[in-house]
């Protein structure tokens, strides 16, 4: 019996549902409860601070009235360049000082770079559309504008795997879609809706889902090393961004930029690149010390805190229905995470119930 198609389907399913085959329970069980709680609190706090800071900093770089820099592709390119250099620098340090830094050896292999290229195209779409969405919409609406990732996960599960989704999971997706449309309606009522930014947000959500799928497929080409994949992704992105910047005229706009020689500007740009590099590390760290399910819940809570902070920082006044749209999106996302976690746990406890469950409540 050929098991390859089954294995590929299982890998894609893990990518779409966020499941992980790695468990930290055995390792963490040997640590005192207080130490574990402190570690988890520190890791979650680090994830929140890094993620929220990166969003506000990117908004400043992309759409600050004081900068007036209209080169979103260049900003994204520079962040990829910083990430590539950091990966190579840490690799060199690990080689020169073994034991001091734990980082894989990175040597650019053109054959591997070509293997990673399909994922890099999706990766470029993901980070570019994310930044373009943030450029055109306000930070308070940013999470709602990019809220359809879960919906695309379910859609791609069906289109690529012919995998049905439970009725309860579909209900949570309905809540997310309802919150998304209500948010658009309320932004329009307040006169702050950017249709361009909303479209970029939808495209970003689609690319996030596709990125998860292609990541699982490409990992064998980089020996299943996330850091090697990060390195190749960002190197490919830097190369592909160069012709884009030329075609879109961003290089001319950059040469005419008033703050091009400002140390403050380049410090903020480099800091944005550092946050872009750090978010991958702290995300993995949070999953390691908690679980993929807890990471999703933490991400939802972080999005809520980010929205509240943005409304306070920009001194905006939002209507009751606007807040309702955010709560629907966040609540639907949390409910979906809980439903999928419950279904996976139930399947692990009783594998024979999987087919019965699908026939009973599958849609």
């Amino acid at each position: 019996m050929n098991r390859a198609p089954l294995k590929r389907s299982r890998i894609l399913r893990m990518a779409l549902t966020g499941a992980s085959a790695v468990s930290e329970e055995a390792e963490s069980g040997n640590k005192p409860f207080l130490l574990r709680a402190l570690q988890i609190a520190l890791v979650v706090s680090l994830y929140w601070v890094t993620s929220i800071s990166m969003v506000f900093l990117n908004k400043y770089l992309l759409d600050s009235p004081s900068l007036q820099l209209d080169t979103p592709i260049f900003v994204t390119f520079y962040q990829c360049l910083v990430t590539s250099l950091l990966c190579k620098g840490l690799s060199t340090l690990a080689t020169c000082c073994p034991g001091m830094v734990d980082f894989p050896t990175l040597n650019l292999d053109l054959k591997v770079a070509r293997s990673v290229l399909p994922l890099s195209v999706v990766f470029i779409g993901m980070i570019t559309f994310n930044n373009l969405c943030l450029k055109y919409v306000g930070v308070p609406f940013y999470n709602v504008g990019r809220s359809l990732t879960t919906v695309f996960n379910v859609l791609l599960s069906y289109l690529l795997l012919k995998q049905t989704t439970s009725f309860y999971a579909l209900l949570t997706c309905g809540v997310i879609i309802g919150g998304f449309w209500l948010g658009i309606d309320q932004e329009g009522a307040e006169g702050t809706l950017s249709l361009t930014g909303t479209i970029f947000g939808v495209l970003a959500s689609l690319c996030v889902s596709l990125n998860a799928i292609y990541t699982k497929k490409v990992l064998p080409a980089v020996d299943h090393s996330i850091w090697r994949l990060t390195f190749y992704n960002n190197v490919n992105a830097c190369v592909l961004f160069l012709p884009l910047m030329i075609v879109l005229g961003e290089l001319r706009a950059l040469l005419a930029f008033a703050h091009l020689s400002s140390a403050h500007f380049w410090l903020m740009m480099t800091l944005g690149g550092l946050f872009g590099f750090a978010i991958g590390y702290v995300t993995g760290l949070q999953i390691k010390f908690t679980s993929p399910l807890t990471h999703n819940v933490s991400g939802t809570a972080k999005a809520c805190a980010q929205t509240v902070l943005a409304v306070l920082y920009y001194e905006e006044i939002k209507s009751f229905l606007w807040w309702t749209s955010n709560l629907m999106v966040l609540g639907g996302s949390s409910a979906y995470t809980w439903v999928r976690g419950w279904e996976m746990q139930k399947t692990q406890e009783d594998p024979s119930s999987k087919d019965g469950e699908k026939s009973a409540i599958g849609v």
Side-chain angles (χ1 to χ4, degrees):
M1 179 179 178
N2 187 4
R3 296 182 178 273
L6 294 176
K7 184 177 181 182
R8 284 196 295 268
S9 295
R10 182 173 62 85
I11 289 174
L12 287 175
R13 188 174 295 109
M14 289 172 63
L16 289 164
T17 59
S20 173
V22 181
S23 173
E24 298 293 330
E25 292 180 2
E27 179 183 346
S28 61
N30 297 327
K31 296 179 181 178
F33 172 78
L34 187 59
L35 178 60
R36 279 194 61 218
L38 181 60
Q39 285 180 329
I40 291 173
L42 288 174
V43 168
V44 171
S45 299
L46 183 62
Y47 169 77
W48 279 40
V49 170
T50 303
S51 181
I52 293 175
S53 299
M54 184 176 68
V55 170
F56 278 90
L57 180 57
N58 279 344
K59 181 63 176 177
Y60 168 76
L61 292 171
L62 293 163
D63 192 38
S64 171
S66 60
L67 280 181
Q68 295 183 343
L69 177 65
D70 189 21
T71 57
I73 302 298
F74 171 73
V75 172
T76 311
F77 160 80
Y78 188 81
Q79 292 176 348
C80 291
L81 179 63
V82 170
T83 298
S84 301
L85 294 175
L86 282 172
C87 286
K88 187 58 181 177
L90 287 173
S91 173
T92 304
L93 187 61
T95 303
C96 297
C97 307
M100 180 179 176
V101 178
D102 183 18
F103 206 84
T105 302
L106 299 177
N107 294 308
L108 187 61
D109 186 330
L110 293 181
K111 183 178 179 181
V112 176
R114 285 195 299 269
S115 300
V116 178
L117 189 58
L119 170 63
S120 298
V121 173
V122 176
F123 172 75
I124 286 172
M126 181 181 71
I127 57 178
T128 301
F129 290 138
N130 266 329
N131 279 350
L132 286 172
C133 175
L134 186 57
K135 174 178 174 61
Y136 289 103
V137 306
V139 177
F141 185 68
Y142 181 56
N143 285 310
V144 174
R146 298 167 54 256
S147 62
L148 297 182
T149 300
T150 299
V151 178
F152 281 119
N153 283 346
V154 171
L155 183 61
L156 292 175
S157 293
Y158 179 75
L159 293 177
L160 299 179
L161 305 174
K162 302 304 179 186
Q163 177 187 359
T164 57
T165 303
S166 72
F167 176 72
Y168 301 113
L170 286 177
L171 276 180
T172 63
C173 289
V175 173
I176 294 172
I177 294 173
F180 175 76
W181 283 112
L182 181 59
I184 291 176
D185 176 75
Q186 291 304 299
E187 284 285 305
E190 295 181 3
T192 56
L193 175 65
S194 169
L195 183 59
T196 301
T198 303
I199 293 173
F200 284 136
V202 173
L203 292 173
S205 300
L206 174 60
C207 287
V208 169
S209 295
L210 289 173
N211 186 72
I213 296 172
Y214 280 99
T215 295
K216 291 292 184 180
K217 294 178 68 176
V218 170
L219 271 174
V222 291
D223 300 324
H224 295 275
S225 170
I226 293 296
W227 285 121
R228 283 197 180 97
L229 184 60
T230 299
F231 174 69
Y232 279 103
N233 251 343
N234 283 275
V235 168
N236 283 344
C238 288
V239 174
L240 294 174
F241 273 136
L242 286 173
L244 272 177
M245 288 189 293
I246 295 173
V247 170
L248 296 175
E250 289 201 1
L251 291 182
R252 290 195 302 271
L254 188 64
L255 291 174
F257 180 51
H259 302 282
L260 188 60
S261 59
S262 168
H264 173 75
F265 166 70
W266 289 108
L267 176 63
M268 292 296 102
M269 287 285 288
T270 304
L271 192 58
L274 289 173
F275 277 126
F277 174 83
I279 192 64
Y281 176 74
V282 297
T283 296
L285 204 62
Q286 180 169 246
I287 294 174
K288 175 182 178 181
F289 279 91
T290 58
S291 68
L293 182 64
T294 305
H295 166 67
N296 289 335
V297 173
S298 173
T300 303
K302 186 274 303 180
C304 182
Q306 179 179 294
T307 300
V308 173
L309 285 173
V311 170
L312 294 174
Y313 179 78
Y314 293 106
E315 298 180 346
E316 298 180 1
I317 299 175
K318 299 297 184 181
S319 67
F320 173 77
L321 287 178
W322 187 91
W323 286 107
T324 301
S325 71
N326 277 264
L327 291 176
M328 287 175 67
V329 166
L330 296 172
S333 300
S334 296
Y336 178 84
T337 299
W338 183 85
V339 168
R340 293 299 297 149
W342 174 75
E343 289 174 350
M344 285 187 289
Q345 182 180 4
K346 186 178 179 181
T347 301
Q348 290 173 355
E349 292 174 354
D350 185 11
S352 62
S353 67
K354 187 175 181 179
D355 294 333
E357 178 189 341
K358 283 186 178 182
S359 62
I361 57 175
V363 176

